[in-house]
Amino acid sequence: MSTLRNKVQLIGHVGNEPEILNLESGKKLAKFSIATNESYKNSKGEKITDTQWHNIIAWGKTAELIENYVPKGKEVGVEGKLTSRSYEDKEGHKRYITEIVCNELLLMGK
């Protein structure tokens, strides 16, 4: 049960071309976002689609896979854990971000 404490699984479409960073340490980092959609009918019977955007990061071999096989628009399955961090923007304001650190990637569709 301890493996379920911080686990996220999502299926969605890649919203931007993945940003690939080769760090000085020799590690590779991939950053991208995916959109997940949920549809339902409102009280008037109209179909409503709710889109949520998720920030994804991946390291090492997973980042290499993303670099080579994951373009914008590709449907992917992502498994990982939620992380939160803060940083200062150019104006000195403290910003907070929640990301999913991807440890497994499933390429879906065509």
Side-chain angles (χ1 to χ4, degrees):
M1 203 60 158
S2 64
T3 59
L4 296 177
R5 293 193 189 277
N6 186 357
K7 186 174 186 176
V8 177
Q9 293 179 320
L10 297 172
I11 295 174
H13 288 88
V14 177
N16 58 330
E17 286 298 327
E19 178 184 353
I20 307 299
L21 302 171
N22 292 301
L23 304 177
E24 290 179 16
S25 63
K27 289 186 176 184
K28 187 168 286 210
L29 171 64
K31 295 181 178 184
F32 62 101
S33 63
I34 66 170
T36 57
N37 296 313
E38 181 180 1
S39 296
Y40 61 93
K41 290 191 178 183
N42 66 12
S43 59
K44 297 176 184 174
E46 302 165 330
K47 182 179 177 183
I48 306 293
T49 300
D50 179 37
T51 301
Q52 296 290 319
W53 289 93
H54 312 276
N55 296 312
I56 313 292
I57 62 171
W59 296 92
K61 297 286 185 192
T62 306
E64 287 177 24
L65 181 71
I66 292 163
E67 179 179 32
N68 294 320
Y69 299 105
V70 179
K72 178 181 177 180
K74 176 80 173 163
E75 187 177 26
V76 294
V78 172
E79 182 175 293
K81 66 179 181 176
L82 275 178
T83 60
S84 297
R85 62 183 174 88
S86 62
Y87 64 95
E88 272 192 25
D89 66 13
K90 294 175 186 173
E91 291 81 38
H93 298 107
K94 194 166 191 173
R95 302 286 181 189
Y96 299 90
I97 188 167
T98 299
E99 300 167 314
I100 297 164
V101 178
C102 174
N103 55 31
E104 263 190 70
L105 182 77
L106 177 62
L107 303 175
M108 305 179 79
K110 297 177 182 178

